[in-house]
Amino acid sequence: MGEIKVSPDYNWFRSTVPLKKIIVDDDDSKVWSLYDAGPRSIRCPLIFLPPVSGTADVFFQQILALTGWGYRVIANEAMLHFPLQTCSAVLSLVYFCASEGEVFPLSGCRYRAEEARDAGEAGCCPETFNLQYPVYWDHLEFCDGFRKLLDHLQLDKVHLFGASLGGFLAQKFAEYTHKSPRVQSLILCNSFSDTSIFNQTWTANSFWLMPAFMLKKIVLGNFASGPLDPEMADGIDFMVDRLESLGQSELASRLTLNCQNSYVEPHKIRDIPVTIMDVFDQSALSTEAKEDMYKLYPNARRAHLKTGGNFPYLCRSAEVNLYIQIHLLQFHGTRYAAIDPSMVSAEELEVQKISLHTSSEQEEQ
């Protein structure tokens, strides 16, 4: 496992922000894992959903910055839960090895091999314990599991930031709950509204048969190549590291969700405030897919980044964080604010109240 070069803050983040694990299904085969940071008094937080190759920690720069400004942020993912006894060693993302006395670091965590062996004797699976979305094979199953997670967290409504596949799943969840809305707003980063853009809907049901190296090759084929600036190169290295941590079933299920024939029904989510975030340089998202998103959400705010590739939240985090703040600003002073009211000035709240009052009058007219 190579050194994380995206930011020196990463290892500090991993050592200070606790990782929670929650089982919401009837059985214990699926475990949602999340970083919940910021004031717990906030009842409408911002939740991040990662792309195919990512885990929740790909948003560490957003978590550190936004919580520092008073926002409550949840970076969400899930893991495949082994049907064996869980222990503290596994909960620390440890790479288990049987070599006595050696130390093996994984993303800032260090455990001696004898501790890993003891964990195995206690009933834990003695191998890499990786975090990811649960192994869901269709969008309805994912949405049902995510709804149960929000119920468990006692969150009636949330703001969702979804990157690529995460953005598509965020839209499908908003669509799934449209009769009893659970999504207050959407930020869609390099995302899409129709899986047919990948031209792989006919192979979606065969991903479960493919070995892990073939699945990883499919994902890596969408990563940028050629000369890149240092920040973008480090971002890609980071995502490759995250991709390597995923097993065959996790990758197969994600690619199935990514390519399974499905599209967003806009009439079910047309009243949700949306910000579309994309880049002008090379990314896996085609110009046609971007145009489709603009047509689907004609009233959406647009957050364009000159560069950033597939992972702007890693290599252009300052710009992404600014756009997130701008998006969430419209909810300041309301029950759907994702920020601690004490972190917002009285002048800013007054401006926001006037804006909300003006918007209400225009809607009535």
Side-chain angles (χ1 to χ4, degrees):
M1 192 70 65
E3 179 185 357
I4 301 300
K5 298 187 293 183
V6 174
S7 169
D9 293 332
Y10 177 70
N11 289 333
W12 181 84
F13 160 77
R14 288 292 306 277
S15 65
T16 56
V17 181
L19 187 66
K20 296 182 178 180
K21 296 171 178 61
I22 301 170
I23 298 174
V24 296
D25 288 284
D26 294 335
D27 58 31
D28 61 352
S29 64
K30 297 177 176 66
V31 178
W32 289 90
S33 175
L34 55 90
Y35 296 100
D36 187 353
R40 297 301 186 273
S41 58
I42 301 302
R43 305 309 303 162
C44 189
L46 173 64
I47 298 182
F48 288 86
L49 299 175
V52 168
S53 57
T55 49
D57 52 4
V58 303
F59 300 113
F60 74 95
Q61 297 188 87
Q62 283 66 54
I63 297 174
L64 292 177
L66 293 171
T67 55
W69 296 324
Y71 291 89
R72 183 182 179 186
V73 178
I74 298 176
N76 192 57
E77 57 180 63
M79 65 180 177
L80 175 64
H81 178 67
F82 294 101
L84 299 170
Q85 181 181 350
T86 303
C87 69
S88 60
V90 224
L91 300 183
S92 299
L93 292 175
V94 180
Y95 182 76
F96 293 143
C97 181
S99 300
E100 184 173 356
E102 295 184 39
V103 178
F104 291 82
L106 173 59
S107 303
C109 298
R110 298 172 70 85
Y111 267 82
R112 291 193 174 276
E114 57 265 27
E115 293 176 86
R117 187 173 56 252
D118 292 342
E121 292 172 355
C124 297
C125 188
E127 57 181 301
T128 308
F129 199 84
N130 301 313
L131 300 176
Q132 59 270 324
Y133 285 120
V135 182
Y136 290 128
W137 297 101
D138 65 68
H139 304 113
L140 182 61
E141 185 185 15
F142 171 87
C143 291
D144 187 57
F146 190 54
R147 177 188 57 79
K148 291 177 181 177
L149 176 66
L150 296 186
D151 290 343
H152 178 89
L153 296 173
Q154 297 182 332
L155 299 174
D156 292 331
K157 278 201 169 186
V158 294
H159 306 281
L160 296 180
F161 179 111
S164 190
L165 170 62
F168 181 72
L169 293 176
Q171 294 171 84
K172 294 300 290 184
F173 181 71
E175 174 189 301
Y176 173 77
T177 59
H178 77 280
K179 291 184 178 179
S180 181
R182 304 295 296 270
V183 179
Q184 182 61 29
S185 74
L186 292 167
I187 305 175
L188 307 174
C189 179
N190 283 345
S191 194
F192 52 91
S193 59
D194 190 334
T195 60
S196 64
I197 64 171
F198 299 109
N199 297 318
Q200 288 188 317
T201 54
W202 61 279
T203 61
N205 293 329
S206 63
F207 286 131
W208 69 278
L209 293 168
M210 298 182 185
F213 79 90
M214 288 184 63
L215 298 173
K216 291 175 182 178
K217 186 176 180 180
I218 292 173
V219 177
L220 289 171
N222 292 315
F223 283 22
S225 58
L228 299 169
D229 66 55
E231 290 81 8
M232 291 182 65
D234 288 346
I236 291 176
D237 287 344
F238 185 93
M239 294 303 293
V240 170
D241 181 86
R242 299 296 85 202
L243 177 63
E244 287 298 324
S245 74
L246 301 176
Q248 190 277 341
S249 58
E250 291 74 37
L251 271 175
S253 66
R254 290 182 181 207
L255 284 169
T256 300
L257 292 176
N258 199 79
C259 300
Q260 193 175 66
N261 189 25
S262 183
Y263 58 89
V264 176
E265 300 179 55
H267 64 280
K268 293 183 178 180
I269 54 178
R270 60 189 173 192
D271 296 327
I272 297 177
V274 175
T275 290
I276 298 174
M277 184 181 298
D278 52 24
V279 299
F280 288 143
D281 62 347
Q282 180 183 0
S283 73
L285 204 63
S286 67
T287 301
E288 180 183 359
K290 294 179 183 179
E291 293 296 332
D292 287 343
M293 289 291 285
Y294 301 153
K295 293 175 183 177
L296 189 66
Y297 302 106
N299 299 320
R301 299 183 179 188
R302 299 188 187 181
H304 299 303
L305 288 80
K306 184 176 180 180
T307 59
N310 290 318
F311 318 116
Y313 38 88
L314 284 170
C315 60
R316 300 292 184 265
S317 61
E319 294 177 65
V320 170
N321 295 344
L322 177 60
Y323 280 127
I324 291 174
Q325 284 185 283
I326 293 172
H327 173 88
L328 294 175
L329 181 64
Q330 61 189 299
F331 304 103
H332 286 189
T334 74
R335 59 178 296 213
Y336 304 115
I339 191 172
D340 185 343
S342 65
M343 301 295 285
V344 183
S345 67
E347 293 80 7
E348 185 179 346
L349 284 175
E350 187 61 31
V351 170
Q352 181 62 15
K353 288 179 181 178
I354 294 173
S355 176
L356 290 171
H357 181 69
T358 303
S359 298
S360 298
E361 289 183 341
Q362 290 175 347
E363 288 178 0
E364 290 175 0
Q365 294 174 359

